[in-house]
């Protein structure tokens, strides 16, 4: 995997804080939850057509936003989401949903564990935070993943009332960290939600793009693109 050259990127020498997206970023190398769930269902033998699958996924995702208790575990969150998705698809029964949820959780937890040493190293140099469109229980999810203590602030859209790309969720995170936009960098996997919103508040940003996205251009010329969180070592450590 190759990283955009740090010399070609906007300088990050003023950086005092690093903010991350959660889903698709900390728990996967640039692969959104929708894409991962679709792939796991295909591996179960289901025919997944984006124009049919996407509305079903978004409906199940929206149904959880602000509707779960803040103490809901990561396991139960994923199982509720995938049960909702399976309920909207033909031939996706409870057994399929259970297997997909189990594999999704295994993949996510393995990715977070693999990324934890990097987060610990970054935490020794920067203040860390999360800004995520989530369901209201992201702090509990981070506890379950074993990384809650690494973050000085966690902005869960369902708790703060603003969803990316609304710049207010970023400004709130920056205020909590007591840094100016130019003193922080945001790392996320979505161009329209993460990169564009970070640009709107004047924050440098790093696009975590899956390998399939190689060759695409970020929203701002000169901003780095990485294909694994480990590539941040060359930019920030």
């Amino acid at each position: 995997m190759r990283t955009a050259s740090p010399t070609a990127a906007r300088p990050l020498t003023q950086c005092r804080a690093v903010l991350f997206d959660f889903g698709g970023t900390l728990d996967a190398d640039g692969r959104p939850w929708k894409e991962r769930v679709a792939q796991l269902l295909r591996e179960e033998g289901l025919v997944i057509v984006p124009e049919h699958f996407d509305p079903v996924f978004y409906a199940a995702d929206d149904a959880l936003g602000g509707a779960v208790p803040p103490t809901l575990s990561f396991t139960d969150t994923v199982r509720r989401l995938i049960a909702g998705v399976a309920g909207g698809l033909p031939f996706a029964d409870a057994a399929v949903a259970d297997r997909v949820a189990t594999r999704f959780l295994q993949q996510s937890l393995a990715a977070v564990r693999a990324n934890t040493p990097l987060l610990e190293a970054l935490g020794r140099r920067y203040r860390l935070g999360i800004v995520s469109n989530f369901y209201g229980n992201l702090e509990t999810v981070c506890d379950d993943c074993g990384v809650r203590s690494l973050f000085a602030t966690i902005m869960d859209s369902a708790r703060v009332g603003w969803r990316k790309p609304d710049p207010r969720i970023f400004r709130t995170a920056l205020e909590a960290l007591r840094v100016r936009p130019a003193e922080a960098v945001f790392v996320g996997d979505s161009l329209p939600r993460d990169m564009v919103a970070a640009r709107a508040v004047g924050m440098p940003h790093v696009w975590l793009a899956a390998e399939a996205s190689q060759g695409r251009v970020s929203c701002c010329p000169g901003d780095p693109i990485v294909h694994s969180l480990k590539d941040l070592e060359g930019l920030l450590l």
Side-chain angles (χ1 to χ4, degrees), residues 30 35 189 207-217 225-227:
E35 179 183 313
D189 66 293
W207 183 26
L208 174 61
E211 286 189 74
S213 300
Q214 292 192 42
R216 292 178 63 186
V217 179
I225 301 173
V226 298
H227 303 296

Side-chain angles (χ1 to χ4, degrees), residues 50-133:
E51 55 262 36
H52 298 148
F53 174 79
D54 290 1
V56 170
F57 180 89
Y58 290 133
D61 185 60
D62 289 344
L64 295 183
V68 305
T71 55
L72 189 72
S73 70
F74 192 23
T75 295
D76 288 341
T77 301
V78 170
R79 293 197 179 282
R80 286 193 191 190
L81 173 65
I82 294 177
V85 172
L89 298 173
F91 312 116
D93 58 23
V96 167
D98 183 69
R99 290 194 296 270
V100 168
T102 296
R103 292 183 63 196
F104 186 100
L105 283 161
Q106 290 171 342
Q107 292 173 356
S108 292
L109 291 170
V112 175
R113 282 195 296 270
N115 288 325
T116 297
L118 170 67
L119 295 173
E120 291 172 340
L122 289 170
R124 289 190 284 271
R125 292 191 60 177
Y126 308 99
R127 302 198 74 198
L128 304 184
I130 296 177
V131 179
S132 180
N133 289 348

Side-chain angles (χ1 to χ4, degrees), residues 10 12 18-25 30 131 133 163-167 169-170 184-210 213 216-226 229 232 235:
R10 287 196 291 166
L12 301 177
V18 184
L19 294 167
F20 294 90
D21 174 48
F22 180 80
T25 298
V131 179
N133 289 348
R163 291 176 59 83
K164 296 179 295 184
D166 191 321
I169 192 170
F170 285 91
V185 60
F186 186 78
V187 183
D189 66 293
S190 170
L191 277 179
R193 291 188 299 276
D194 295 333
M195 302 299 95
V196 172
R199 179 182 66 186
V201 297
M203 192 187 333
H205 35 288
V206 177
W207 183 26
L208 174 61
S213 300
R216 292 178 63 186
V217 179
S218 187
C219 65
C220 300
D223 278 328
I225 301 173
V226 298
L229 277 187
L232 292 178
L235 294 170

